[in-house]
Amino acid sequence: MAETANAPMAISDEVAIQIQSMNKWFGSFHVLRDIDLTVYRGERIVIAGPSGSGKSTLIRCINALEEHQKGSITVDGTLLSSDIKNIDTIRSEVGMVFQHFNLFPHLTILENCTLAPIWVRKTPKREAEETAMHFLEKVKIPEQANKYPGQLSGGQQQRVAIARSLCMKPRIMLFDEPTSALDPEMIKEVLDTMVSLAEDGMTMICVTHEMGFARQVAHRVIFMDAGQIVEQNEPEEFFNNPQNERTKLFLSQIL
Ligand code: ADP
Ligand code: MG
C-alpha cells in the first residue's frame, strides 16, 4: 500500500457532493433523517453501520436511483431535482458498483464495457473498445475481454463491473458492499482494484464492512444507524476512540 493513499493533501477544497438536511421516506417509513454531508474532490469516505441503517439508500439517493423528499443534494455543482436533465448530468458524473455485479450475461466482457459508451455517449466503437481495454488492463483482466461473465469468477466479474463503470469516465465512484457477495479469496483482488483507484485520486464513497480497507484508504469513516449519521471521524480516531455508544457496540461486534 502506497503511503500516498492516506495523504490529506490528496483532498481538494473543491466540493464534489453536498447533501443538506436531506430526508427520505419509503411510504410512511422515515428511512433517512436530516443527512448533512459534504464530500470534497479526491476524498474517500467509507460508510459503515448495521444492516438496515440506510447506507444503500443514502448512496442510491446520490445518483438518483432513489428520490429524496426533503433537503438537497448537489453533485459537482448540479442540484439533483426531479428534472430529468439534471439526473442525466449527475449520473454521467457518478459511477456505481453494486454487491451483485449486474453484468449482462449475454454480452462479452468487452461488450459489457462498451455498451453504455457507444449507446449513451455515442462514442465511436473503436474508441470505446480502446478505452475498455485500457480499464480492463487497469483491473488486471484484459485477457478475459472476449469471454462471457458466466465464465469468470466472482472477483473477476466484480473487477469487470468496476472497469465498466470507469469506461463512462466518472468523477465520483460509489461502491455498495462490492465484496460482500464474494468468497474470501476473491475479496482482496477487488479491494486491491479499489486501492488503485484511490491512489489515482478518485473521489469515492464506499459502503463496506472491510475495516482493513477503511483504515488503509479512507480519509473519513461515517457511521450510520437508524437512518442517521451518528458519528464520523478519520479512521484512526474512529476505530481507536469511538464516541457514540452505537458505534462502540457495532465495532465490538465486527472487529
Ligand atoms: P442498509 O444498506 O444500511 O442495509 P438500506 O438502505 O438498504 O439499509 O435500507 C434501509 C431501510 O429501508 C431498511 O429498513 C429497508 O428495509 C428499507 N428499505 C430499503 N429499500 C426499500 C424500499 N424500496 N421500499 C421500502 N423500504 C425499503
Ligand atoms: Mg445495503
Side-chain angles (χ1 to χ4, degrees):
M1 175 64 197
E3 279 177 28
T4 49
N6 264 329
M9 61 271 227
I11 309 178
S12 113
D13 49 16
E14 188 188 333
V15 172
I17 301 170
Q18 176 114 55
I19 302 177
Q20 288 176 310
S21 309
M22 193 268 279
N23 286 262
K24 174 172 181 55
W25 287 260
F26 284 121
S28 61
F29 175 53
H30 196 174
V31 60
L32 293 175
R33 295 165 182 264
D34 296 319
I35 302 288
D36 285 301
L37 177 64
T38 303
V39 181
Y40 294 90
R41 184 151 323 284
E43 192 175 18
R44 299 184 291 273
I45 289 181
V46 161
I47 302 181
S51 179
S53 56
K55 307 179 298 296
S56 295
T57 306
L58 172 58
I59 65 168
R60 289 167 64 83
C61 283
I62 295 173
N63 66 350
L65 288 175
E66 296 287 355
E67 211 181 327
H68 61 282
Q69 282 82 37
K70 213 174 133 205
S72 68
I73 302 178
T74 308
V75 180
D76 271 335
T78 303
L79 180 66
L80 181 50
S81 62
S82 52
D83 181 344
I84 192 74
K85 199 164 112 258
N86 282 356
I87 290 178
D88 285 348
T89 307
I90 285 175
R91 287 202 187 141
S92 72
E93 305 266 314
V94 181
M96 182 147 176
V97 173
F98 303 88
Q99 178 176 358
H100 299 287
F101 334 117
N102 303 341
L103 298 176
F104 298 109
H106 59 292
L107 297 181
T108 66
I109 299 312
L110 188 66
E111 288 164 347
N112 264 280
C113 292
T114 57
L115 187 73
I118 291 173
W119 293 101
V120 179
R121 289 284 171 80
K122 312 294 179 207
T123 308
K125 186 167 181 241
R126 161 103 39 114
E127 189 186 325
E129 288 179 348
E130 280 171 11
T131 303
M133 288 311 299
H134 168 78
F135 286 116
L136 288 172
E137 272 159 35
K138 173 146 185 79
V139 304
K140 300 197 166 71
I141 37 174
E143 73 286 355
Q144 309 293 338
N146 295 314
K147 292 191 183 164
Y148 288 86
Q151 297 173 284
L152 271 57
S153 72
Q156 290 173 323
Q157 289 188 55
Q158 190 60 298
R159 286 186 282 154
V160 172
I162 294 171
R164 180 176 64 173
S165 252
L166 294 174
C167 284
M168 293 295 274
K169 311 269 175 74
R171 299 189 77 190
I172 297 165
M173 285 287 287
L174 309 176
F175 293 87
D176 193 359
E177 302 203 32
T179 60
S180 52
L182 298 176
D183 292 334
E185 70 271 20
M186 290 168 194
I187 291 176
K188 183 171 181 305
E189 65 189 50
V190 171
L191 292 178
D192 284 348
T193 302
M194 293 167 65
V195 169
S196 129
L197 265 185
E199 288 168 347
D200 293 346
M202 179 66 81
T203 307
M204 298 166 71
I205 301 183
C206 311
V207 176
T208 181
H209 293 132
E210 295 293 332
M211 293 298 127
F213 174 80
R215 279 183 190 270
Q216 186 182 3
V217 163
H219 296 106
R220 184 156 45 128
V221 182
I222 286 179
F223 179 73
M224 287 184 71
D225 193 25
Q228 287 179 304
I229 294 177
V230 298
E231 182 161 358
Q232 52 181 312
N233 219 325
E234 58 181 69
E236 275 313 297
E237 276 298 297
F238 180 84
F239 290 111
N240 297 340
N241 193 19
Q243 300 297 310
N244 188 285
E245 289 309 316
R246 288 182 279 179
T247 317
K248 289 180 192 171
L249 177 65
F250 178 77
L251 290 175
S252 73
Q253 287 163 347
I254 64 156
L255 292 179

